[in-house]
Amino acid sequence: MARYHPKTFAGLTWHDATAGFREGRDSPRAYLERCLGVIAAREEDLRAFVVYDPDFARQHADDSTARWQAGNPLSAIDGMPIGIKDLIETRDFPTQMGCAAYAGNFPRRDSAMIQALKQAGAIILGKTVTTELGQSEPGPTKNPFDATRTPGGSSSGSAAAVAAGMVPAAIGTQVGGSIIRPAAFCGNIALKPTQGGIHRGERQGSSQSTAGVHANSYEDMWQVAIEIARRAGGDPGTLGLIGPDTPPHPARPQTLGLLETEAWSMLRPAEREAFEALLERIRGLGISVLTDHPALAALERIAAQGKAVTAVIVGFENRWSLLNLEANHPGGLSARAIARLRASEALSVEDYRAALATREEMRAAMARLAPVVDALIAPAAPGIAPLWDPDDTQNPRPTGDIAANAATSALGVPCVTLPVMAVEGMPFGAQVIGQAHQDARATAIAHWLHRSL
């Protein structure tokens, strides 16, 4: 496997192929065949997909090719092959959630976001591997840059498939750190939108769950997200993703705030050095990086409870579905899932309410930073992807720690990965964090920084 460096890595993109579709030099069918060629070459070792259907995809690619040739594509992503995390229901593929209790589950219905993608002409190529129920038990996917390391979780297959050039974009979901962390481990550009920004369809059971996009460019990332939001909106009762119908133009920030999350103390010396060098490069562009301000310090103090708050909220909200699974499918849950369930049973309604109250305090502290900084910047993970031993059943988080993401998940604000660092030949990502509903601004800032750095 090739080692990673942000200056030499060239991921598969879509937006720059569409001119060829219009002019007849290329076609969605030919593009798909290139994707299928990569899958044929790498999937046996990488194992990013649970299931995919080349013939199904070819049929839809031919339909898309005809639309482009006629000058009538349904959208800018008409014909784009997309991987879908196997937590999300799809009519054409089973939805087994990486869980033995759901083996063979085939509800034959499309989630709202899948319906929106199909209306935009995108091709649902297949289902990508997730950890069990989006929690801690890993699937078989390997990191595309080092097979001995995890790709992250729970959007492991989506992140790996994009990094490996199997698809230009894939859908992931996040409750604690499941979009941004695997994106950081695999060198993706990814958006975890404002809470509720993309309609989750049937996946409304967790108040911190959000759907987002992995890609290799800011253009593709934004276009996929906005095409979904234009058709399906956000979660019920929310405003949904707000922003332009085309990718926002890169925008130079004046001031960034350094957010020291719980991951800060977990960085090894080489990772700390790489991130501090990144901050110096940003300062060298004439951008102020704020590290000492009362509002920033207040946010950091309460954000230090991010993991604890997330554990209580997620544990309490997931308890009921896990109890049903345990009762109806004996032996269908892993030991890690059972351990999480037993821990959640110790939580009271009062614990849950206290965690919700702390989460609201966190969000208020974040909002008070709006006039102070254009966005926040932080490591997107507590280092590079850790080594992974499939036989180690004692590690509670084999796909990596959520320390860099728990607070931002609780905050419900947009995060965009910035893959501009490498340590030991592996991706090491930063993240740009915006205010709620400023997804377009966070994307524009991240894009400007990436281009300038």
Side-chain angles (χ1 to χ4, degrees):
M1 294 182 173
R3 306 301 277 169
Y4 173 85
H5 195 284
K7 289 185 178 179
T8 57
F9 175 72
L12 177 68
T13 54
W14 172 264
H15 68 280
D16 46 3
T18 56
F21 303 162
R22 293 190 189 92
E23 298 163 7
R25 295 180 287 105
D26 197 1
S27 70
R29 173 60 186 270
Y31 188 101
L32 171 66
E33 293 299 334
R34 295 194 291 272
C35 292
L36 293 175
V38 176
I39 292 173
R42 299 203 63 182
E43 173 60 14
E44 184 176 356
D45 293 327
L46 194 63
R47 301 184 69 182
F49 282 90
V50 179
V51 59
Y52 64 98
D53 189 337
D55 291 334
F56 173 84
R58 287 179 175 121
Q59 175 186 341
H60 289 280
D62 287 342
D63 293 341
S64 176
T65 294
R67 291 192 291 268
W68 281 100
Q69 290 175 346
N72 296 309
L74 296 174
S75 76
I77 63 169
D78 192 340
M80 177 191 279
I82 294 181
I84 306 297
K85 183 177 180 178
D86 195 31
L87 292 181
I88 301 164
E89 289 186 344
T90 48
R91 180 178 180 180
D92 306 296
F93 299 94
T95 302
Q96 302 176 96
M97 306 190 196
C99 179
Y102 281 101
N105 180 56
F106 205 148
R108 297 192 182 279
R109 56 180 175 248
D110 281 333
S111 182
M113 73 184 86
I114 305 303
Q115 294 181 53
L117 286 169
K118 287 183 173 180
Q119 290 170 13
I123 298 170
I124 310 304
L125 180 56
K127 303 300 285 291
T128 55
V129 170
T130 179
T131 61
E132 179 192 35
L133 302 172
Q135 297 183 0
S136 300
E137 184 70 17
T141 311
K142 299 179 177 63
N143 191 293
F145 302 102
D146 184 345
T148 67
R149 297 181 183 273
T150 178
S154 60
S155 304
S156 48
S158 292
V162 166
M166 295 175 168
V167 287
I171 302 299
T173 64
Q174 177 164 319
V175 176
S178 297
I179 294 172
I180 299 300
R181 188 177 74 258
F185 288 170
C186 293
N188 298 166
I189 292 166
L191 169 67
K192 179 197 79 68
T194 296
Q195 183 65 45
I198 291 178
H199 197 310
R200 288 178 288 156
E202 73 284 355
R203 296 199 58 79
Q204 304 291 327
S206 173
S207 65
Q208 283 188 195
S209 174
T210 185
V213 182
H214 293 257
N216 287 309
S217 71
Y218 297 94
E219 293 89 346
D220 292 347
M221 178 196 76
W222 180 263
Q223 200 68 57
V224 171
I226 203 66
E227 296 292 351
I228 296 172
R230 287 176 62 193
R231 291 163 175 82
D235 286 343
T238 69
L239 297 174
L241 182 66
I242 297 172
D245 290 345
T246 56
H249 295 294
R252 182 184 185 279
Q254 297 298 314
T255 304
L256 297 175
L258 170 61
L259 180 64
E260 295 188 12
T261 65
E262 295 169 279
W264 192 252
S265 63
M266 300 169 66
L267 297 177
R268 298 177 304 155
E271 294 153 349
R272 178 76 69 90
E273 181 180 339
F275 190 78
E276 290 177 344
L278 172 65
L279 296 179
E280 284 306 308
R281 291 163 65 195
I282 291 172
R283 292 186 180 101
L285 297 170
I287 298 166
S288 174
V289 179
L290 191 66
T291 60
D292 185 17
H293 187 279
L296 180 61
L299 175 61
E300 288 180 336
R301 280 194 298 272
I302 196 163
Q305 301 178 57
K307 285 177 66 175
V309 165
T310 294
V312 172
I313 292 173
V314 175
F316 189 82
E317 291 174 347
N318 285 349
R319 180 198 299 178
W320 320 108
S321 59
L322 288 175
L323 283 170
N324 279 328
L325 281 178
E326 182 184 39
N328 295 329
H329 301 276
L333 294 175
S334 70
R336 285 189 178 93
I338 293 295
R340 290 169 71 105
L341 173 57
R342 296 286 87 85
S344 77
E345 289 181 301
L347 298 171
S348 67
V349 173
E350 288 72 22
D351 294 330
Y352 179 61
R353 289 172 176 167
L356 292 177
T358 301
R359 188 170 73 178
E360 287 307 307
E361 292 176 23
M362 292 172 67
R363 293 178 177 184
M366 177 69 183
R368 285 193 286 271
L369 270 171
V372 178
V373 297
D374 296 303
L376 298 172
I377 190 167
I384 63 173
L387 296 169
W388 172 47
D389 179 1
D391 297 322
D392 180 5
T393 60
Q394 303 305 309
N395 183 351
R397 294 191 179 275
T399 62
D401 200 287
I402 67 170
N405 318 112
T408 52
S409 292
L411 287 167
V413 294
C415 300
V416 181
T417 50
L418 186 63
V420 292
M421 297 178 287
V423 174
E424 299 174 10
M426 293 296 295
F428 176 41
Q431 59 182 324
V432 172
I433 305 159
Q435 292 289 342
H437 302 297
Q438 293 189 6
D439 306 63
R441 188 182 189 193
T443 298
I445 289 172
H447 194 177
W448 189 91
L449 289 170
H450 197 161
R451 188 179 66 177
S452 301
L453 293 168

